[in-house]
């Protein structure tokens, strides 16, 4: 059965020396597909080359492109939208726009700049019926404010840190929640409670590799091959067999990205 990591940064410098080995490790651990998520148009070329590497090893790879809020002081709106349009016109068309969003926890970021960049990218995605991959840190209410006022095609909230009420607000807007390594930490009691109680039809699996490693890999770089550990933790919380849970989550992933996972399958 397919296992798709819905959020991985394949072009990251942490994978620069051994990307082929990282992808082989993922394949050996059952990962059949990776959504490579971008952070800046400066890196879109590297992202596309990394996806080509993954496909050559035998893992399907798809691209989401966008300007991350951490880049909001280095990439203006015109540059961000021009980068998206370039990808839209290229052979490596996006299946989603991301990673975009708001971050009110990271020091030194201008909230006003973020609040201009995010809705501009959201509008661009909405005009093309593309889902968005959201970055959310201390910003759930403001993200929901924009989503309720702008056309969008749904998406996924990556690395969600908000409350259950906020999670339900995103689900009402047609969004899924990405389940990553945080679920494997024994002390993540609030996260565990939410993941038991939220609708299973609103959850997808992710790693955020090389970032946010799970409990067994603290202090190490995260790998897409660790996706199964997140699956196993979620299955235990839900009282389900991993393969039964995976079948449900796969349906969610297909709905999230619509029919676009037919693009760029591995040879």
């Amino acid at each position: 059965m397919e296992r798709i990591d819905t959020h991985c940064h394949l072009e990251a410098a942490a994978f620069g020396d051994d990307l082929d080995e990282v992808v082989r490790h993922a394949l050996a651990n059952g990962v059949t597909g990776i959504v490579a998520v971008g952070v800046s148009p400066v890196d879109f070329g590297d992202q596309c080359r990394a996806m080509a590497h993954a496909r050559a090893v035998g893992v399907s790879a798809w691209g989401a492109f966008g300007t991350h809020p951490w880049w909001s002081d280095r990439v203006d709106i015109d540059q961000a939208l021009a980068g998206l349009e370039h990808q839209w016109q290229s052979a490596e068309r996006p299946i989603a726009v991301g990673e975009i969003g708001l971050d009110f926890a990271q020091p030194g970021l201008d909230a006003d700049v973020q609040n201009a960049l995010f809705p501009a990218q959201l509008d661009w995605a909405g005009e093309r019926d593309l889902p968005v991959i959201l970055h959310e840190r201390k910003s759930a209410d403001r993200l929901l404010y924009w989503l309720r006022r702008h056309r969008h095609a749904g998406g996924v909230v990556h690395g969600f840190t908000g409350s259950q009420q906020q999670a339900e607000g995103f689900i009402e807007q047609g969004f899924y929640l990405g389940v990553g390594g945080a679920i494997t930490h024994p002390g993540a009691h609030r996260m565990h409670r939410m993941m038991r109680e939220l609708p299973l039809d609103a959850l997808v699996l992710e790693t955020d590799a090389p970032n946010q490693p799970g409990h067994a890999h603290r202090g190490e770089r995260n790998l897409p091959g660790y996706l199964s550990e997140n699956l196993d933790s979620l299955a235990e919380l839900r009282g389900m067999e991993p393969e039964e849970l995976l079948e449900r989550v796969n349906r969610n992933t297909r709905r999230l990205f619509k029919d676009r996972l037919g693009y760029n399958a591995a040879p």
Side-chain angles (χ1 to χ4, degrees):
M1 191 182 301
E2 65 183 2
R3 298 187 181 204
I4 297 174
D5 183 353
T6 65
H7 197 111
C8 178
H9 298 284
L10 282 178
E11 85 293 348
F15 295 147
D17 294 333
D18 63 347
L19 180 59
D20 285 358
E21 287 76 13
V22 166
V23 177
R24 289 190 184 96
H25 175 268
L27 191 61
N29 283 276
V31 176
T32 57
I34 293 172
V35 179
V37 181
V39 296
S40 162
V42 174
D43 298 322
F44 288 173
D46 291 338
Q47 188 180 341
C48 293
R49 286 186 285 274
M51 288 188 284
H53 274 284
R55 293 180 195 126
V57 172
V59 172
S60 296
W62 309 275
F65 300 91
T67 297
H68 192 289
W70 289 5
W71 282 80
S72 60
D73 61 343
R74 289 172 279 178
V75 177
D76 64 28
I77 292 173
D78 289 342
Q79 291 171 305
L81 298 184
L84 289 172
E85 190 62 33
H86 173 77
Q87 287 304 137
W88 185 247
Q89 300 298 331
S90 76
E92 196 69 79
R93 297 188 82 183
I95 66 165
V97 172
E99 181 175 351
I100 67 173
L102 300 170
D103 192 322
F104 298 151
Q106 185 72 10
L109 296 180
D110 188 312
D112 290 339
V113 173
Q114 293 187 64
N115 274 299
L117 178 61
F118 170 64
Q121 295 185 93
L122 183 64
D123 285 342
W124 189 95
E127 290 166 3
R128 290 154 185 82
D129 198 34
L130 287 170
V132 294
I133 297 175
L134 295 184
H135 177 95
E136 177 277 319
R137 285 182 73 208
K138 305 295 184 183
S139 59
D141 288 339
R142 192 62 178 174
L143 287 168
L144 285 166
Y145 169 89
W146 289 120
L147 292 174
R148 288 166 179 151
R149 287 160 177 79
H150 287 249
R151 172 187 172 187
H152 64 80
V156 58
V157 187
H158 146 71
F160 180 70
T161 60
S163 67
Q164 182 155 341
Q165 182 179 7
Q166 290 166 332
E168 291 167 353
F170 284 112
I171 293 168
E172 288 172 2
Q173 288 293 311
F175 277 74
Y176 296 83
L177 301 179
V179 180
I183 199 175
T184 68
H185 294 287
H189 302 302
R190 184 168 67 93
M191 170 74 70
H192 294 163
R193 184 174 62 253
M194 278 201 300
M195 291 302 150
R196 288 190 191 99
E197 295 177 0
L198 290 172
L200 183 54
D201 288 345
L203 305 179
V204 296
L205 293 171
E206 65 177 37
T207 65
D208 195 26
N211 311 307
Q212 299 195 57
H215 179 69
H217 308 286
R218 288 175 299 174
E220 306 170 13
R221 66 174 179 174
N222 198 5
L223 298 176
Y226 298 154
L227 187 76
S228 293
E229 298 175 18
N230 305 340
L231 169 66
D232 290 344
S233 292
L234 182 59
E236 183 177 355
L237 285 170
R238 303 289 303 210
M240 300 173 67
E241 291 298 321
E243 291 302 306
E244 177 192 4
L245 176 62
L246 181 61
E247 184 177 0
R248 295 283 299 277
V249 170
N250 283 345
R251 291 204 296 267
N252 299 344
T253 302
R254 291 280 168 182
R255 285 197 301 268
L256 164 62
F257 296 113
K258 302 181 179 175
D259 61 350
R260 296 183 178 93
L261 294 186
Y263 299 171
N264 303 319

